[in-house]
Amino acid sequence: MRWEPVDKTPQERAEANLKAYESSCREFSWDVARDALDGLPGGGVNIAHEAVDRHRGTPLADAPALRWLAAAGDVTTLTYAELATLSNRFAHVLRDLGVRRGERVCLLLGRTPELYIACLGAWKAGCVVVPLFSAFGPEPVRQRLEISGATTLITTVDHYRRKIAANRAVLPALRHVLVTDAGIDDPQVDDTVGLTLAMALVEDEFPIVRTGPEDPALLHFTSGTTGMPKGAVHVHGAVLAHRVTARYALDLRPGDIFWCTADPGWVTGMTYGVIAPLMLGVTLISDEAEFDAQRWYDILTAERVSVWYTAPTALRMLMRRGDELPAGTDLSCLRFVASVGEPLNPEAVVWGKRVLGHAVHDNWWQTETGAIMIANLAAEQIRPGSMGRPLPGIEATILRRGRDGRAAITDGQVEYAQAGEVGELALRTGWPSMFRGYWNEPEKYARAFAAGWYLSGDLARRDSDGYYWFVGRADDVIKSAGHLIGPFEVESVLMAHPAVAEAGVIGTPDPVAGELVKAFVQLRPGRDASQELYDDIIAFGRRQLGAVAPKQIVFTDALPHTRSGKVMRRLLKARDRGLPEGDISTLESAQ
Ligand code: ATP
Ligand code: MG
């Protein structure tokens, strides 16, 4: 199936932050880019200083930093100056409790202002922030508290009672639990400290702990799509990559109103939903509520969102609701739309152009990379289905695969794939936001590198113009009758069928072919499963894909997703084969 490239207008090219891709890549240097950081007075670097304190005393101080949309409908605005002061107060509270630099401070909070205040305050106190997704149940929370050895947890009374209280005895490291919703007259609910009162008793000024670029700032757990979540460690110096990539890949500019729909419990929601936009002085939208198509279109309009960063699942859900819903919506403030987290099917890129007025810019990165690495750019042609090209300062390559499907490593050396050849996507080590470890798993960390490259575990190919095309995770790739089949390609084609809303594709064991392509298909509302539709989708797949088309289709009401919105193919596979489901702590519970 051929999708026409989406070209940019001369105006789009002229206004973009990154205008000349090739020459910028040649000339870029992280050392030069570092001049854009402010640095702590007297030396050192701290994310919270770069995000908020550096704007104190500038015209930005009174500008809205955060517009918080409560689920109930009211809107709270915090200025940069207010965010700076409140996070100072939070840092005092930690220090008064005796929480010291390097200690892990876990956040188990919905998208509320306290979440932003707490992470900034914890960085000011020199602590390592461990963001947890607030919909996790007691077991995943206990697991992550235990693994991280967190000494402090910020949460709500309800979360505490439902998810933590019963496990407190088995978490000896956890000394303090601060709750955000205890009233000022309520200093102590159960075994917790009320944050409202504690914050009222401390000063507005706090000298930021002098952290250096290599001091840990974040411990982020991965999505658990392929197995047990891993804890990736990130340092304060990563903030340089946050800044550069948000300017280049999200095209953020002063005055922008920016909505990143990812929850700060995931790396996207923390890096681009908190840190990078604040550094760049834009206004951040934070919506407490869960996905709702009408609400989302209303937010884009009412908040006059100019840059929108979302995910393929969300876009697919909007597409499923049809084009009528946004027909009366004023999206004239929107300038740039980007997506991450999963492969973005070409259909969605083009839908964006038609319905939102802007093609969707896919970009690729991982918890481990700490920032966007490969992206479709504001000034460049989009090739629908491609993740784009590596950002300036990032060197990517495709490594030839060995028998296990990952990069072949012989005596510490690797081989490079030709243009068009599928191999493991790898990145030259040394960019500022590269993870510095898997928490407590040094061997796993060491195995992620070879010959100066970080091995991503994703398979991709690069075309002769340097655009990268995602094929699949090494674990998900299907080997059928000598073909190597990436599930994404098959899913994208199926989703172009008018009756298909979403598809998840796996290999199912077959004595002759090794594996057969099997598709789990969720139909659009109003379409019912029937033998006729089954035959039609099979035939559609065969016409488009030939030999790699699915041989078998299973209609399903819903596909299993991780809480960060990714199709969990390993679960489809385990269920298909009758095998144990493995770790499902990040499975969306509705599935
Ligand atoms: P785990 O490592 O625990 O299995 P995960 O890899 O899903 O979980 P994340 O770090 O949140 O955890 O996700 C990164 C992965 O998401 C990438 O390695 C890739 O497989 C997928 N991904 C991210 N962006 C894209 C994209 N634009 N296109 C295709 N895949 C993407
Ligand atoms: Mg991963």
Side-chain angles (χ1 to χ4, degrees):
M1 203 158 205
R2 270 199 55 76
W3 296 87
E4 288 305 312
V6 181
D7 283 316
K8 300 301 173 60
T9 63
Q11 190 186 353
E12 283 168 329
R13 289 175 188 272
E15 288 178 355
N17 284 338
L18 182 60
K19 294 183 182 59
Y21 174 73
E22 278 87 4
S23 59
S24 301
C25 288
R26 271 196 309 277
E27 289 154 21
F28 184 88
S29 128
W30 288 110
D31 285 336
V32 174
R34 197 165 283 116
D35 287 345
L37 295 186
D38 196 41
L40 287 172
V45 58
N46 184 284
I47 293 177
H49 175 84
E50 299 299 329
V52 290
D53 282 23
R54 73 174 293 177
H55 305 309
R56 292 178 112 189
T58 76
L60 260 180
D62 296 321
L66 176 69
R67 297 256 308 155
W68 177 64
L69 318 179
D74 41 323
V75 179
T76 305
T77 304
L78 288 179
T79 64
Y80 275 93
E82 286 167 333
L83 210 44
T85 308
L86 289 165
S87 51
N88 279 346
R89 286 176 168 263
F90 186 83
H92 268 297
V93 171
L94 288 182
R95 197 172 63 182
D96 291 353
L97 287 169
V99 181
R100 297 282 169 253
R101 70 184 293 159
E103 289 188 30
R104 270 79 59 215
V105 172
C106 252
L107 310 179
L108 182 72
L109 292 170
R111 290 179 295 275
T112 56
E114 292 81 10
L115 170 68
Y116 300 80
I117 294 163
C119 64
L120 293 164
W123 287 319
K124 288 182 172 182
C127 299
V128 181
V129 172
V130 188
L132 298 185
F133 187 53
S134 65
F136 278 149
E139 185 50 24
V141 170
R142 185 202 58 74
Q143 234 178 34
R144 287 162 178 75
L145 284 169
E146 187 182 310
I147 293 171
S148 65
T151 63
T152 309
L153 171 71
I154 325 298
T155 190
T156 62
V157 173
D158 178 55
H159 284 311
Y160 181 72
R161 289 186 174 153
R162 285 194 297 121
K163 304 177 182 175
I164 296 121
N167 285 326
R168 192 86 189 249
V170 295
L171 293 167
L174 185 64
R175 300 200 304 272
H176 316 287
V177 177
L178 295 162
V179 286
T180 56
D181 54 345
I184 194 151
D185 303 323
D186 218 359
Q188 183 113 37
V189 180
D190 303 348
D191 246 352
T192 67
V193 176
L195 196 58
T196 317
L197 178 62
M199 293 272 282
L201 297 176
V202 292
E203 290 172 42
D204 277 347
E205 294 305 318
F206 181 87
I208 294 185
V209 168
R210 188 180 305 288
T211 44
E214 288 302 312
D215 281 332
L218 274 161
L219 170 56
H220 255 302
F221 287 95
T222 59
S223 296
T225 315
T226 52
M228 193 69 188
K230 302 160 283 235
V233 179
H234 287 286
V235 294
H236 280 277
V239 79
L240 175 59
H242 301 160
R243 181 191 169 89
V244 167
T245 55
R247 286 194 69 252
Y248 286 170
L250 302 177
D251 201 38
L252 281 180
R253 304 176 201 164
D256 267 327
I257 296 177
F258 175 59
W259 185 21
C260 169
T261 61
D263 188 276
W266 309 114
V267 73
T268 304
M270 185 52 79
T271 306
Y272 298 103
V274 183
I275 303 169
L278 293 177
M279 285 182 87
L280 295 171
V282 310
T283 298
L284 194 63
I285 304 295
S286 169
D287 182 26
E288 186 186 19
E290 292 311 317
F291 175 85
D292 175 84
Q294 184 68 62
R295 183 179 170 99
W296 278 32
Y297 285 125
D298 290 347
I299 292 173
L300 289 171
T301 308
E303 293 300 322
R304 307 171 65 79
V305 171
S306 55
V307 179
W308 192 33
Y309 194 20
T310 188
T313 5
L315 291 166
R316 287 197 286 267
M317 286 196 278
L318 291 177
M319 289 166 72
R320 219 180 291 163
R321 284 296 305 272
D323 296 359
E324 307 77 44
L325 195 62
T329 311
D330 175 10
L331 298 173
S332 57
C333 291
L334 206 54
R335 188 187 81 239
F336 189 80
V337 182
S339 158
V340 73
E342 268 209 302
L344 183 68
N345 41 307
E347 187 88 359
V349 176
V350 174
W351 173 87
K353 181 86 183 160
R354 195 179 72 243
V355 176
L356 306 174
H358 301 274
V360 184
H361 295 74
D362 186 21
N363 56 54
W364 175 92
W365 58 297
Q366 308 179 305
T367 308
E368 288 87 340
T369 70
I372 299 168
M373 299 283 107
I374 295 179
N376 285 284
L377 299 164
E380 304 293 322
Q381 185 183 69
I382 299 181
R383 301 186 176 181
S386 160
M387 310 188 287
R389 292 185 283 180
L391 292 182
I394 302 301
E395 187 185 346
T397 197
I398 302 288
L399 299 177
R400 195 157 272 172
R401 298 163 352 116
R403 226 174 298 147
D404 65 350
R406 302 279 312 260
I409 305 166
T410 319
D411 299 331
Q413 295 308 305
V414 292
E415 284 178 57
Y416 299 93
Q418 308 275 334
E421 181 182 337
V422 173
E424 182 165 359
L425 173 54
L427 301 161
R428 173 75 68 199
T429 56
W431 72 97
S433 63
M434 188 177 91
F435 70 136
R436 300 298 200 269
Y438 282 126
W439 188 258
N440 288 344
E441 296 187 279
E443 282 138 32
K444 183 173 268 182
Y445 185 68
R447 279 200 305 275
F449 298 89
W453 296 98
Y454 162 63
L455 314 174
S456 73
D458 283 348
L459 300 184
R461 60 195 163 77
R462 180 177 48 192
D463 66 23
S464 49
D465 297 322
Y467 281 75
Y468 282 73
W469 300 76
F470 186 79
V471 171
R473 294 158 183 272
D475 297 4
D476 286 342
V477 164
I478 303 160
K479 291 176 210 89
S480 183
H483 299 289
L484 186 77
I485 304 166
F488 167 50
E489 194 185 352
V490 181
E491 289 162 7
S492 287
V493 163
L494 293 177
M495 280 186 263
H497 186 284
V500 176
E502 191 163 32
V505 167
I506 60 163
T508 189
D510 178 79
V512 180
E515 282 183 311
L516 285 183
V517 180
K518 182 167 182 176
F520 292 79
V521 164
Q522 183 187 348
L523 295 173
R524 284 180 187 273
R527 302 301 299 256
D528 291 324
S530 66
Q531 186 61 44
E532 199 185 344
L533 187 55
Y534 184 101
D535 295 342
D536 193 56
I537 297 175
I538 290 272
F540 179 81
R542 199 171 309 127
R543 272 199 306 279
Q544 306 288 348
L545 291 160
V548 305
K551 302 282 183 292
Q552 216 182 336
I553 288 176
V554 177
F555 291 119
T556 170
D557 290 341
L559 292 165
H561 286 106
T562 63
R563 290 189 181 279
S564 55
K566 299 161 197 277
V567 175
M568 253 187 181
R569 293 180 194 82
R570 73 170 159 96
L571 204 56
L572 290 173
K573 223 186 286 182
R575 288 175 181 170
D576 182 62
R577 297 177 187 192
L579 297 171
E581 297 197 337
D583 181 81
I584 51 165
S585 64
T586 60
L587 179 68
E588 210 172 51
S589 50
Q591 311 288 331

